[in-house]
Amino acid sequence: MTHESIPQLAAYDEATLDAAFRELLLSAQRESGGIATAEGKEQFRLYWLGRKQGRLKSIGEAWLKTAPAEAKKAIGQRFNQLKEQIEQTLEENAAMGSGVARAADALDITLPGIRPGMGAEHPLIKTLHEVVSIFERMGYSVGVGPEVETDYYNFESLNFPPNHPARDTQDTLVVAGQEKKPLRERLLLRTHTSPVQIRAMEQQPPPLRLVIPGKVHRNDAADATHSPIFHQVEGLCVDTNITFSDLKGTLDHAMKELFGSSVKTRFFPSFFPFTEPSADVQISCIFCAGKGCRKCKHSGWIELLGCGMVDPAVFGFVREKQPAYDPKKISGFAFGMGIDRIAMMKYGISDISLLYSGDMRFLEQFA
Ligand code: PHE
């Protein structure tokens, strides 16, 4: 800012005064545009608004001294207005200018942004949701139950005889220190999702179509295919005239939805205390399309789930609370599948422990 000479007023009519003051305002505004620092702002203020040697003060004194008395009021008013306008310009431009200066120091807005860490579904949960939604599309609702269960719901009501090997602590993880309680009240970690069948039937009369996803526990030593914690999806359908054909059709459709329409299913006689008859379901090998490979032990088939018609003895337990479960009037089927194995097959995972390791290098592959 160089000290400019004081402009001369050519006349004292309103138009001439307005033009002269507009010229002063414009030159102040031009100069204030370059202000980028606090010192710059102070310099500008001193130059234009300084009380002793400020430009407004000098010009004001010069103009008023020579002005005729009748013009002094008009000039004085315009100086007051101009002072306010310059102060305002100074605040606005300085705020913008220093804002830009500060931002430029701290942040380069042309740099690429930091990508936020987006979460993704765990492959197990993804598979679980996929299976559940297949059954939801067939009109099933979703049920859940506790992981710490009583012996009654996990075994007795599911028709496990008192000395059934599954009750052995070799397989079942039990809560310690309950010897004083009657057997049926003792707590354990549920070994399957089937106890939720009983809980659901006690809660509501038939008809019932329910899928039950959940975590289960067994006292298994961990290896590539075993984990003491794993996941199941259970299914239960109870209504009048439910037959084994309904079970076959339902599971065949579900497996085709899950693995592709070319997958075949076959049913083998099996045994579960709570279903009669019972079956194991195999699907044609999804790796070799049934030709035989290492994955299916050259049989062309992979065993995937257990199922059967609900044993009338199970309805017998439920009837204590819901008399409508009369095996003479209704029938039903149930099935259960291991989600870990399905996830491992679908995603080509060879070791089950990877699903529980929390290792980001593994998990990020599914994000
Ligand atoms: N609960 C059985 C298991 O864990 C699976 C199953 C469920 C079988 C429902 C038949 C009917 O092995």
Side-chain angles (χ1 to χ4, degrees):
M1 267 173 257
T2 53
H3 234 289
E4 290 163 58
S5 57
I6 289 166
Q8 298 298 307
L9 272 181
Y12 296 96
D13 58 287
E14 301 255 321
T16 310
L17 289 180
D18 283 344
F21 276 90
R22 197 174 324 112
E23 192 51 48
L24 284 176
L25 180 61
L26 281 174
S27 75
Q29 282 175 338
R30 264 196 306 274
E31 283 175 28
S32 74
I35 297 174
T37 61
E39 296 94 75
K41 184 175 165 185
E42 192 47 33
Q43 260 179 23
F44 178 93
R45 184 196 307 288
L46 278 176
Y47 177 77
W48 278 97
L49 306 169
R51 270 178 213 226
K52 289 194 180 130
Q53 285 165 3
R55 190 156 165 75
L56 280 196
K57 167 104 174 158
S58 325
I59 298 173
E61 277 173 359
W63 284 359
L64 285 167
K65 211 193 292 166
T66 50
E70 64 276 13
K72 283 192 194 318
K73 193 176 169 207
I75 295 174
Q77 276 174 348
R78 282 174 173 74
F79 267 111
N80 287 337
Q81 198 193 355
L82 179 62
K83 188 165 171 259
E84 271 174 35
Q85 286 168 328
I86 293 179
E87 274 168 353
Q88 200 186 334
T89 309
L90 177 66
E91 289 312 317
E92 283 168 8
N93 284 7
M96 259 168 56
S98 62
V100 169
R102 227 182 297 122
D105 287 345
L107 168 80
D108 179 351
I109 57 169
T110 65
L111 283 174
I114 298 165
R115 181 181 284 201
M118 291 277 277
E121 262 183 336
H122 190 283
L124 253 181
I125 300 303
K126 204 155 135 179
T127 310
L128 194 123
H129 285 161
E130 219 177 303
V131 172
V132 165
S133 63
I134 289 170
F135 287 97
E136 280 180 323
R137 291 199 289 275
M138 289 194 263
Y140 283 60
S141 30
V142 182
V144 287
E147 274 174 59
V148 179
E149 200 35 292
T150 60
D151 184 277
Y152 177 75
Y153 283 111
N154 197 76
F155 292 128
E156 189 179 334
S157 61
L158 287 161
N159 201 33
F160 280 78
N163 292 313
H164 193 281
R167 291 190 184 207
D168 196 324
T169 49
Q170 293 292 313
D171 285 333
T172 307
L173 292 158
V174 299
V175 176
Q178 306 182 87
E179 292 74 15
K180 290 207 185 75
K181 284 189 192 167
L183 178 64
R184 58 178 5 231
E185 286 171 28
R186 291 187 200 164
L187 297 173
L188 45 81
L189 300 186
R190 68 178 179 194
T191 59
H192 51 177
T193 40
S194 304
V196 191
Q197 285 187 30
I198 308 295
R199 290 182 175 276
M201 287 191 279
E202 285 182 350
Q203 291 296 316
Q204 59 185 105
L208 196 72
R209 280 160 181 74
L210 199 64
V211 266
I212 302 147
K215 204 182 277 178
V216 301
H217 306 254
R218 285 186 201 173
N219 191 12
D220 279 335
D223 62 25
T225 55
H226 292 84
S227 159
I229 297 176
F230 57 103
H231 294 74
Q232 290 187 334
V233 169
E234 186 94 8
L236 176 66
C237 167
V238 184
D239 207 335
T240 48
N241 298 319
I242 298 293
T243 67
F244 200 87
S245 314
D246 296 318
L247 171 59
K248 284 189 79 173
T250 302
L251 289 181
D252 186 72
H253 172 76
M255 292 304 110
K256 285 178 162 60
E257 286 276 286
L258 196 54
F259 293 106
S261 55
S262 58
V263 155
K264 295 188 189 71
T265 54
R266 62 179 191 180
F267 290 66
F268 273 74
S270 183
F271 174 78
F272 300 100
F274 42 94
T275 47
E276 182 60 31
S278 304
D280 284 330
V281 183
Q282 301 179 343
I283 62 164
S284 53
C285 181
I286 58 165
F287 302 104
C288 63
K291 286 189 197 74
C293 67
R294 219 164 52 86
K295 294 260 169 70
C296 60
K297 299 195 186 90
H298 304 283
S299 71
W301 295 90
I302 294 177
E303 195 171 303
L304 215 55
L305 37 93
C307 65
M309 302 306 290
V310 179
D311 194 306
V314 171
F315 290 135
F317 284 100
V318 173
R319 284 182 79 188
E320 293 172 19
K321 290 200 176 147
Q322 280 286 1
Y325 286 91
D326 179 352
K328 289 201 190 71
K329 295 186 181 134
I330 47 105
S331 54
F333 63 72
F335 56 86
M337 64 188 100
I339 294 301
D340 304 62
R341 258 194 79 213
I342 295 175
M344 289 166 75
M345 281 171 61
K346 274 191 90 103
Y347 296 111
I349 300 163
S350 55
D351 188 335
I352 193 171
S353 69
L354 285 166
L355 293 172
Y356 297 94
S357 67
D359 188 334
M360 292 298 283
R361 292 167 303 179
F362 168 73
L363 294 173
E364 275 167 356
Q365 299 174 60
F366 305 93

